[in-house]
Amino acid sequence: MTIPRRSWRAAGTLAAAAIVGLTGAVLTAGPAAAHTPTWDVTCTEVSLHLTAYNGDVTNQVTVTVDGKDLLPTETFGKGLDKTIALPEHDKALTVRLVVKAGDGDKYSRDESKQAPVCEETQEPTPTPSETKPSETPTTATPTPTDTPSETASSSAPAAAAPSPSSPDLAETGSSSATPIIGGAAVAVLLAGGGIMWSVRKRRTAQH
């Protein structure tokens, strides 16, 4: 059985159209699945995680807080990772993220989130502890010194000075009183000899 050429041509045309349709669907679904803007807001900071963007075009991102620029308009390519500190605040802040994709407004984003007030952490009040009795201080024993102190030497009694009324000590050298003393000694000897002679004479007379 012979198939006409026209049938082959028709089948080829249908196959080509199907391939083109599938390719277009894939290309169309690709960018839609990309462009992932993820961002988080806390009481202290804003974290940006922009991924899977088209790097062949110019993309832009802006972050404002209560209408004031926190991140002025900044351009990026395939992605952007950034953390921005929030100013101190005592009430909730409105943080707005604006992303403009260079390959179409359908990939752009305009979102807002609230930055809460940070809770103040109070330090725990210390529990009063029982008063402990103070330790009895120990009296340190003084270390004896080898060298006697000057105070001890100065407190020794001074030698008694000779009284002016005490009799003069005999002089060992020549003196004017030496002849008198010698004469007195001779007189004592003579008197003693006379006494002894008288006593013997009396005893002889008695016998």
Side-chain angles (χ1 to χ4, degrees):
M1 180 179 180
T2 304
I3 299 176
R5 293 182 178 180
R6 292 180 179 179
S7 299
W8 284 106
R9 290 178 181 178
T13 302
L14 291 174
I19 293 173
V20 171
L22 291 174
T23 303
V26 171
L27 293 175
T28 304
H35 303 79
T36 308
T38 303
W39 64 303
D40 299 315
V41 177
T42 65
C43 68
T44 58
E45 62 187 17
V46 178
S47 301
L48 303 179
H49 305 285
L50 310 179
T51 59
Y53 277 79
N54 187 355
D56 296 332
V57 297
T58 301
N59 305 300
Q60 295 180 342
V61 57
T62 306
V63 179
T64 59
V65 176
D66 288 345
K68 297 179 181 179
D69 284 343
L70 181 65
L71 174 65
T73 302
E74 183 174 329
T75 59
F76 65 96
K78 292 182 178 181
L80 175 67
D81 285 326
K82 200 161 194 174
T83 301
I84 312 166
L86 287 170
E88 294 184 1
H89 52 281
D90 55 2
K91 62 179 181 179
L93 300 177
T94 301
V95 183
R96 181 184 177 189
L97 171 70
V98 177
V99 179
K100 290 184 179 181
D103 52 356
D105 291 339
K106 60 182 177 180
Y107 306 124
S108 300
R109 288 290 186 92
D110 189 344
E111 300 176 355
S112 297
K113 292 184 179 181
Q114 293 291 319
V117 178
C118 295
E119 296 181 359
E120 296 182 359
T121 57
Q122 297 181 353
E123 298 181 358
T125 305
T127 304
S129 58
E130 296 181 358
T131 305
K132 296 182 180 180
S134 59
E135 298 180 358
T136 304
T138 56
T139 305
T141 305
T143 305
T145 56
D146 296 336
T147 306
S149 60
E150 296 179 358
T151 306
S153 61
S154 62
S155 62
S163 174
S165 60
S166 60
D168 295 335
L169 298 177
E171 298 181 4
T172 55
S174 60
S175 176
S176 59
T178 302
I180 299 174
I181 295 172
V186 173
V188 170
L189 292 176
L190 290 176
I195 293 171
M196 292 294 294
W197 181 79
S198 299
V199 171
R200 288 182 180 180
K201 185 176 181 179
R202 286 181 184 178
R203 286 181 180 178
T204 303
Q206 290 178 359
H207 289 292

